[in-house]
Amino acid sequence: MPREPKPYVERGWYISRPGGQYLKLCPVADGMTEARRLLKLELGRLETSASSRADAPRPR
């Protein structure tokens, strides 16, 4: 089972790479709490888009 994605600092920004996708969350000045909040929102958005693609009919 993969680990839970966490924000980390890169070049003055908090970023994360859940599932290999690059997410630039917020500047370091905004803080880790804001970065975690934004990451949680993005993970929810990614999950809903993945589930909607799974429900779509397959082309023949």
Side-chain angles (χ1 to χ4, degrees), residues 13-58:
W13 285 81
Y14 282 108
I15 66 159
S16 188
R17 293 183 181 266
Q21 184 176 3
Y22 182 86
L23 294 176
K24 192 172 184 181
L25 300 169
C26 67
V28 172
D30 290 350
M32 178 63 92
T33 304
E34 180 68 9
R36 286 185 182 140
R37 186 185 72 79
L38 292 171
L39 178 59
K40 188 180 283 190
L41 289 172
E42 287 294 322
L43 288 174
R45 187 182 60 78
L46 290 172
E47 185 176 314
T48 57
S49 67
S51 66
S52 67
R53 284 192 307 250
D55 296 339
R58 292 184 179 171

